[in-house]
Amino acid sequence: MHNKLLLAGVISISMLTSTAHAESLGNLAFSETTPYTSDMTLKDDFTIVGDVDLMAMDAINSNGYANAIIEIPTGTSAKWEVSKEDPNAVYWEYKDGEPRVVNYLGYPGNYGAIPGTALPKELGGDGDPLDVIVLGQALPRGEVVDVRVIGVLKMLDDGEQDDKLVAVLTQDSPFAHIESMQQLDSEFPGVSQIVDIWFANYKGPDGGMEGLGFEDAESALAVLEAAAENFQATQ
């Protein structure tokens, strides 16, 4: 009995020591444990690369669902994005010479981009691919998944429009059957408020973010289609 207790104590101490000495990357302990898609490889601590031009993918599939590239898995705080220089890569964004970390609670959903889209300022965008938050359990970084767009969160970032599409996974998720913001609010009370509050506050009290409420699927799909048409027109 004494030997078993001693062994358990040694294991516990070993685990605590290992935890205490875990390397921190970008001020995030265990950031290297966030999974990335099996379709990409780790080039370095700040970049994953694949063989597919992510931006060349269709925004909307033949089945009517949208493609979403997962840049930031649910619950994580490292700010990764699809590279503008190399569309085969997803990289950890740098700001002020350091990898960017959101100093708030982790993202309340999988955050990413819709490929094959670009919405210019005259149509309410910023020229970049559309942002999307995919509700549900964490997905690997770099994964491309089918999503159903159910709404759009209207936002201002320092006075400029910065809307976020709201989507759900089409399978293997408790949200897979959700088709509208109204249904989401009815079956999952509080989820939309969590998303709204999170985006309004994640940059801090003086971060310049202002939420303007949600619009439903019809409005969101109109934005998506306009962004896809604009992207095609510029190719």
Side-chain angles (χ1 to χ4, degrees):
M1 181 68 175
H2 176 75
N3 289 339
K4 289 182 178 179
L5 289 173
L6 181 61
L7 178 60
V10 170
I11 293 174
S12 298
I13 292 172
S14 175
M15 290 175 67
L16 287 171
T17 302
S18 175
T19 300
H21 289 90
E23 292 186 8
S24 177
L25 185 62
N27 296 321
L28 288 179
F30 307 116
S31 61
E32 70 276 12
T33 64
T34 301
Y36 56 89
T37 177
S38 59
D39 293 331
M40 304 182 83
T41 57
L42 188 68
K43 179 180 178 181
D44 52 48
D45 288 334
F46 309 98
T47 315
I48 56 175
V49 181
D51 297 325
V52 176
D53 182 335
L54 296 171
M55 285 298 107
M57 301 179 67
D58 291 333
I60 304 174
N61 293 318
S62 58
N63 57 17
Y65 297 133
N67 279 316
I69 306 163
I70 304 304
E71 299 166 321
I72 306 170
T74 299
T76 63
S77 302
K79 191 72 170 66
W80 286 60
E81 64 180 11
V82 176
S83 173
K84 294 180 177 65
E85 290 74 30
D86 180 3
N88 288 36
V90 180
Y91 79 107
W92 196 344
E93 180 185 345
Y94 263 65
K95 187 175 183 179
D96 299 326
E98 295 183 353
R100 186 177 171 192
V101 174
V102 172
N103 294 313
Y104 197 54
L105 297 173
Y107 275 75
N110 298 283
Y111 191 74
I114 304 292
T117 61
L119 200 63
K121 288 188 176 182
E122 57 267 25
L123 294 178
D126 58 6
D128 290 336
L130 290 176
D131 298 325
V132 61
I133 181 164
V134 183
L135 302 177
Q137 62 273 33
L139 297 168
R141 179 175 289 121
E143 193 83 9
V144 180
V145 291
D146 277 359
V147 301
R148 180 186 300 112
V149 176
I150 64 168
V152 56
L153 174 59
K154 310 294 289 185
M155 297 212 71
L156 295 178
D157 185 351
D158 286 331
E160 294 190 358
Q161 195 163 344
D162 188 25
D163 299 342
K164 316 292 183 186
L165 295 182
V166 181
V168 297
L169 297 173
T170 60
Q171 57 185 351
D172 300 327
S173 166
F175 300 97
H177 65 290
I178 299 297
E179 297 185 355
S180 68
M181 295 302 300
Q182 289 89 342
Q183 186 182 5
L184 176 69
D185 290 336
S186 174
E187 297 189 27
F188 296 93
V191 170
S192 65
Q193 291 95 322
I194 290 169
V195 172
D196 189 9
I197 291 170
W198 192 93
F199 278 106
N201 292 279
Y202 81 105
K203 290 186 178 181
D206 301 316
M209 300 299 294
E210 181 182 355
L212 303 176
F214 292 92
E215 293 184 4
D216 216 329
E218 184 177 354
S219 176
L221 290 172
V223 172
L224 175 57
E225 289 168 2
E229 289 174 4
N230 179 73
F231 180 84
Q232 292 298 326
T234 60
Q235 299 307 297

